[in-house]
Amino acid sequence: MNTAVENPFLNTAKGSVNERHLDWLESEAIHIMREVAAECTNPALLFSGGKDSIVLLRIAEKAFRPGKFPFPLVHIDTGHNFPEVIAFRDKRVAELGEKLIVGSVEDSIKRGTVRLRNPQTDSRNAAQAVTLLETIAEYKFDACIGGARRDEEKARAKERIFSFRDEFGQWNPKAQRPELWDLYNTRVHPGENMRVFPISNWTELDVWQYIAREKLTLPQIYFAHERQVIPRNGLLVPLTDLTPPKEGETVETRVVRFRTVGDISCTCPVASDAADVDAIIAETAVTQITERGATRMDDQTSEASMEKRKKEGYF
């Protein structure tokens, strides 16, 4: 007799609770994406090659195909990204046939608008805010669509779907616009812009269930693999030229995967043997630590790290 119990989180069959839930989330995201296209003059979609922005691309396909996207794709490249993610980004953009604009933190450093103590090794994650604002100003974008979600972090939890930024690119959490009955105020003056988050109401589990349902391809970095890491402050820091071991630390080879991807200098994998999407869904369903809490060194500097960066123009 087969006593195996089916994992309910893997059930996205037609008519299932999970399927209806994903349909609702997808419908809301499509509505938001079309609202941006209808109301904003010159929007852009932020695409890094990470799982959340890959989901955004599928939402955009469902919202606008067979036509072209009514906005370019934009990536703020720190120059310290994982090479397999950048390769995936370029491959996916080529498949879609859409325009990609890359803003470079390296160029901001050369211009002197970003200054680091050691440009070759210091984390460039926070510096992305400067390059993003420069890219917005150069191309006169009045809205940037991003894949941030409320379940990721406390500052993102209280941010609106249409998040107003002033002429300095800053976010004021105490002066947010109401969003009653799915009505969004998109009005901005020249120099101001909106950050728009169509999957703000999704959870990490929702994202992985949607990836499974849509059969989306992801960079292999998201799946279990062997990697040399350095145990440090409860995290597994990947061994790279940018993140070498400190005195007294040891290097170990572990089976890990990345729950989120970003700048190498501040992104850590987690110990995991989940080698496919179903295994990741099962693992995500029981985890009690948020993906940024488990993997991002930059969010552990203080309780208000993310909110401080967002006030300065971060995604």
Side-chain angles (χ1 to χ4, degrees), residues 119-154:
Q120 300 307 314
T121 58
D122 285 359
S123 175
R124 299 181 176 186
N125 193 54
Q128 292 180 90
V130 174
T131 306
L132 175 61
L133 295 178
E134 290 174 343
T135 304
I136 289 172
E138 179 181 355
Y139 291 93
K140 296 182 172 55
F141 294 131
D142 61 347
C144 288
I145 304 166
R149 308 187 321 273
R150 288 186 172 129
D151 78 321
E152 290 182 282
E153 200 275 338
K154 289 181 290 186

Side-chain angles (χ1 to χ4, degrees), residues 60-76:
E61 286 183 281
K62 293 196 174 187
F64 304 114
R65 288 294 193 243
K68 299 281 285 184
F69 292 171
F71 37 65
L73 308 180
V74 172
H75 182 217
I76 305 303

Side-chain angles (χ1 to χ4, degrees), residues 113-186:
T113 52
V114 167
R115 294 189 178 185
L116 302 172
R117 289 183 180 180
N118 189 333
Q120 300 307 314
T121 58
D122 285 359
S123 175
R124 299 181 176 186
N125 193 54
Q128 292 180 90
V130 174
T131 306
L132 175 61
L133 295 178
E134 290 174 343
T135 304
I136 289 172
E138 179 181 355
Y139 291 93
K140 296 182 172 55
F141 294 131
D142 61 347
C144 288
I145 304 166
R149 308 187 321 273
R150 288 186 172 129
D151 78 321
E152 290 182 282
E153 200 275 338
K154 289 181 290 186
R156 286 179 169 172
K158 62 185 179 184
E159 189 168 13
R160 299 288 193 264
I161 290 175
F162 277 74
S163 180
F164 173 75
R165 304 299 172 97
D166 63 21
E167 65 271 25
F168 301 106
Q170 297 175 327
W171 173 60
N172 183 353
K174 296 182 179 179
Q176 300 189 77
R177 297 175 176 181
E179 294 181 345
L180 304 176
W181 306 293
D182 294 333
L183 298 176
Y184 305 108
N185 180 356
T186 64

